[in-house]
Every structure is written in structure tokens, then in C-alpha cells.
Amino acid sequence: MAVRGAALVPVVLFGLVVGGLWWWAVLRLVLVPEHSGVVEGAVAAGGWGLSLLPVHATASRPSTRASRRPRSDGISDPS
């Protein structure tokens, strides 16, 4: 269990750093657009584009023997 927690720390730190860079780019674009450049625009647009990914989608579960058994009304399960 300690190994899993230790492996999580760098991932969280990476997420915080990337999130901080995104907020820096967005705030710079909003507050001082005349001094913002291509890098800030690319970072802000890239972060926004990543937010559109369907991260809630997961792979379907493989069917089990219980799900392949005929139902009690005589109709078998289509999966």
C-alpha cells in the first residue's frame, strides 16, 4: 500500500504543475493580452481541448457465464 501512495505523489505534483501553467496562460491572456504570445495561446487552447475529452467513458466489461444463461422467461440474453 505504501508503494501505491508513493507512486501517486509524482502524478499529483505533475497535475498541479500543468494546471498551474494552464491557469497562468489563461490569466495572462485575459489580463494582459498585448503582452501574451503564441505560447500562452497554445497552452490555454490545449488545456481547453483536453477538457473536451470524454474521460468518463470506460471499456465495457467482458460478459460472464451468469449473463449468458437463459432468462427465466425462455428468452436468452443477446450478449
Side-chain angles (χ1 to χ4, degrees):
M1 184 133 116
V3 173
R4 184 176 183 180
L8 188 61
V9 172
V11 173
V12 170
L13 287 175
F14 178 73
L16 288 172
V17 168
V18 170
L21 287 173
W22 183 81
W23 274 107
W24 168 77
V26 169
L27 289 175
R28 188 163 161 97
L29 282 169
V30 170
L31 298 175
V32 282
E34 63 274 1
H35 295 294
S36 300
V38 176
V39 173
E40 288 90 352
V43 169
W48 178 78
L50 285 175
S51 71
L52 298 177
L53 289 175
V55 294
H56 63 278
T58 60
S60 63
R61 294 184 191 164
S63 62
T64 61
R65 284 188 176 190
S67 67
R68 289 192 301 252
R69 276 192 233 144
R71 298 186 336 192
S72 61
D73 58 358
I75 302 172
S76 61
D77 193 17
S79 61

